[in-house]
Amino acid sequence: MMPMQKTGVVSVMVPQSVGTAATATGLIDTLGFEECKIIFHLDTAAAVSNNPSTIKVAEGDTSTAFTDVTGFVGDATDGFTVPTLSTAAGNIVEFNMDLRGRKRYLKTTLCAAGAASIMGVTAVLSRAKDTSVAQAKAAAVVNG
């Protein structure tokens, strides 16, 4: 087996219950990487009205001030359409981002609508400029 190289995985937002109309956010430090896959884990929907009202990514030079990233804001004029969630299985919404020319920090935002939902976010950072940066993102790395 050839292990994936120069990648780092970040638990951005651990799976948690997000109350009705509540917002949950997570922060990603992209320093040293050129690409990022953000995976939003969403619960099953009891009804279409349970779809998240907000799924988006913002960026900033610091970890405290952010601007929405064009194209990565659900249901925005210049964004994407928030998909109708499955009522039978968990749901994944995936963003693939080229980090070159982006600001250092990314902030993910999810907002539950209609009913409380279980939500989580994972990021896979790749194309690290050096392998030690990638390995520092994990508590343990096992290759086989």
Side-chain angles (χ1 to χ4, degrees), residues 4-6 21-22 40 48 56 65 71 86 90 96 98-99 109 111 114 117 127 130 140-141:
M4 292 176 66
Q5 298 177 20
K6 298 188 177 187
F40 294 87
V48 172
K56 71 177 183 175
S86 167
N96 295 305
D98 183 347
L99 299 175
T109 302
C111 183
S117 298
R127 298 191 64 195
D130 100 42
V141 176

Side-chain angles (χ1 to χ4, degrees), residues 11-18 41-42 110 117-122:
S11 181
V12 180
M13 188 178 89
V14 297
Q16 59 190 272
S17 179
V18 179
H41 308 271
L42 307 171
L110 284 167
S117 298
I118 304 295
M119 300 177 170
V121 181
T122 302

Side-chain angles (χ1 to χ4, degrees), residues 35-95:
E35 293 177 356
C36 182
K37 176 188 298 280
I38 301 172
I39 304 163
F40 294 87
H41 308 271
L42 307 171
D43 201 357
T44 58
V48 172
S49 61
N50 290 18
N51 280 2
S53 59
T54 304
I55 301 177
K56 71 177 183 175
V57 174
E59 65 181 348
D61 289 322
T62 68
S63 60
T64 56
F66 296 91
T67 304
D68 289 348
V69 177
T70 302
F72 292 90
V73 178
D75 292 338
T77 305
D78 57 359
F80 66 97
T81 302
V82 174
T84 301
L85 300 183
S86 167
T87 58
N91 297 273
I92 297 288
V93 174
E94 196 175 289
F95 291 174

